[in-house]
Amino acid sequence: SAISRTFEQTMALGRIVKANNPNVFLFMGGQHATEDPNTVLEIFDAAVRYEGDFTFPEILERVAEHNQRPDLEGILGISFKNGNGIVHAPKRNFLTKEELSALPFPIFSQTTLRHITHNVIVTSRGCPFDCEFCSVIQNFGQEFRYRDDDSTIALIKYHKKLAPGLPFFFGDDIFNSNPGRLKRVLDRILREGIKMPQWAAQIRHEASKDPELLQLMKRTNGYIMFIGLESVNDKTLEIYKKHATMEKNREALRKIRKAGLLAHGMFVIGSDVDTPRTIEDTLRFARQECDTAQFFSLTPIIGTPQGTDLQTKGQIITEGFTHHDAITAVISPLNLT
């Protein structure tokens, strides 16, 4: 599996494996394979596009039948090589809520458990927003899908036993996307006496409009909330299609912190309307309004509207994807060096 940042290393690993045994059947999934399966197939035998929960075991069944040249015809959501070139099978539908709720829980080796710092829990997929720089929509769709309440609670209990004492991080792209559902889950944690470790989550500014939700977050041992603020420049927020303003974000941060939660602000620098002044304003805002902050360099993710636009306009200044780590400057904005 590979994201763009790790794509070239993953391809290099594939070359090493093939050099040692050309008959090994290799396939790759993940965000980059979804957007660029043809390049994957220069080394790998197949690419899994979009969600692989059902696709992956289907491929394994075919490999079990013939491990060097499996028959992949009829498997949805893959691209593969055959004697006539490349076949792009029809896209597999995204998992339904029922299918997502029925997925088995993750299993980690003892080595992994000794080295992880957080229990990472994902209870939903997808996002209805349309931020120009984000790949979530391409990979998981523009509709939220949630584990049902029972499986969410069971997953939380499972992770508590999996790595006792470790803090939780809810990896949902927007944990407060359905406030009613989240309040039900948090209320049930309290009613069932589940002793939560400190936990963090990614939320949007709208969470601040619901005092009851903020109170439940705090009472269940919520600690710090990660908020994609992106910029204090309203023109940049408009370009990013964030459906937010600087003042909305400022008000949200103050309400979240007043509720006893820490606020971790995440910012993206490098839009075509950013200037040295807006960067200084962003840093000043972060120091005043956030408890901790994180600053990313705008990165042209393959397949996103912004990534395509920057590629078309010739503003990408690096070759390949190794430096697409959201820290290195890989584009040339109009008003910044």
Side-chain angles (χ1 to χ4, degrees):
S1 182
I3 58 174
S4 291
R5 169 65 181 85
T6 61
F7 177 66
E8 289 170 20
Q9 296 96 314
T10 306
M11 290 289 281
L13 177 60
R15 290 188 187 95
I16 293 170
V17 173
K18 285 289 190 181
N20 281 274
N21 186 349
N23 294 321
V24 171
F25 182 81
L26 292 179
F27 58 106
M28 183 196 300
Q31 166 261 335
H32 198 100
T34 294
E35 297 295 338
D36 189 16
N38 283 10
T39 304
V40 170
L41 296 177
E42 292 175 6
I43 303 296
F44 286 69
D45 299 292
V48 176
R49 309 192 316 272
Y50 304 99
E51 293 177 323
D53 306 272
F54 291 166
T55 310
F56 180 60
E58 284 189 22
I59 293 177
L60 292 182
E61 289 172 358
R62 302 293 181 90
V63 172
E65 295 168 1
H66 198 297
N67 62 5
Q68 293 183 7
R69 297 179 186 272
D71 177 9
L72 303 179
E73 292 288 345
I75 299 179
L76 297 176
I78 66 170
S79 297
F80 61 94
K81 294 180 284 191
N82 67 10
N84 300 317
I86 293 175
V87 175
H88 297 293
K91 181 180 176 181
R92 185 184 293 271
N93 291 334
F94 289 118
L95 270 64
T96 65
K97 174 185 175 180
E98 291 73 23
E99 290 169 336
L100 188 63
S101 299
L103 288 179
F105 295 161
I107 297 173
F108 299 118
S109 69
Q110 288 302 310
T111 301
T112 297
L113 290 173
R114 282 197 300 271
H115 289 86
I116 61 174
T117 60
H118 289 70
N119 262 311
V120 179
I121 303 174
V122 179
T123 73
S124 67
R125 293 182 187 174
C127 180
F129 292 95
D130 53 358
C131 299
E132 290 278 287
F133 56 81
C134 181
S135 65
V136 170
I137 295 166
Q138 280 85 350
N139 285 272
F140 294 109
Q142 208 162 4
E143 180 180 338
F144 276 121
R145 293 161 290 137
Y146 305 93
R147 278 187 177 270
D148 61 36
D149 294 2
D150 287 343
S151 72
T152 298
I153 292 294
L155 183 64
I156 288 170
K157 291 178 178 178
Y158 174 82
H159 272 276
K160 274 177 57 68
K161 293 180 179 178
L162 183 70
L166 285 185
F168 281 6
F169 181 81
F170 288 98
D172 304 50
D173 287 291
I174 304 176
F175 195 46
N176 65 303
S177 56
N178 185 331
R181 178 246 185 189
L182 180 55
K183 285 192 282 189
R184 287 197 312 271
V185 169
L186 296 178
D187 182 65
R188 190 163 158 183
I189 287 172
L190 293 174
R191 285 190 289 105
E192 295 189 15
I194 301 172
K195 300 296 183 183
M196 290 287 285
Q198 283 190 333
W199 61 267
Q202 302 177 115
I203 65 172
R204 272 182 61 91
H205 65 84
E206 290 90 349
S208 66
K209 298 177 182 179
D210 193 333
E212 181 187 6
L213 176 59
L214 295 180
Q215 184 184 47
L216 283 168
M217 287 177 167
K218 180 64 178 176
R219 289 179 62 197
T220 54
N221 214 17
Y223 170 58
I224 185 167
M225 299 297 129
F226 288 57
I227 310 167
L229 303 168
E230 320 313 354
S231 179
V232 300
N233 181 0
D234 283 339
K235 289 183 179 179
T236 293
L237 292 174
E238 185 177 340
I239 288 175
Y240 288 169
K241 294 187 177 179
K242 281 296 295 184
H243 304 283
T245 65
M246 182 189 74
E247 284 309 314
K248 283 182 179 179
N249 286 338
R250 188 194 303 274
E251 181 183 3
L253 289 167
R254 291 179 177 177
K255 288 181 178 178
I256 290 166
R257 298 173 80 187
K258 187 177 180 180
L261 300 163
L262 298 180
H264 177 80
M266 298 182 290
F267 301 89
V268 177
I269 292 170
S271 85
D272 279 344
V273 296
D274 275 346
T275 65
R277 172 65 184 273
T278 65
I279 294 176
E280 292 170 1
D281 290 343
T282 297
L283 181 58
R284 187 178 305 111
F285 178 93
R287 283 176 167 154
Q288 292 172 349
E289 306 294 345
C290 301
D291 296 288
T292 56
Q294 200 167 2
F295 302 89
F296 301 99
S297 175
L298 181 62
T299 303
I301 300 174
I302 185 171
T304 62
Q306 197 158 65
T308 301
D309 182 57
L310 290 165
Q311 180 72 49
T312 301
K313 293 192 296 188
Q315 289 179 254
I316 302 175
I317 59 175
T318 57
E319 294 290 335
F321 299 95
T322 300
H323 297 296
H324 286 213
D325 51 16
I327 299 171
T328 308
V330 297
I331 63 167
S332 179
L334 293 182
N335 299 309
L336 296 168
T337 61

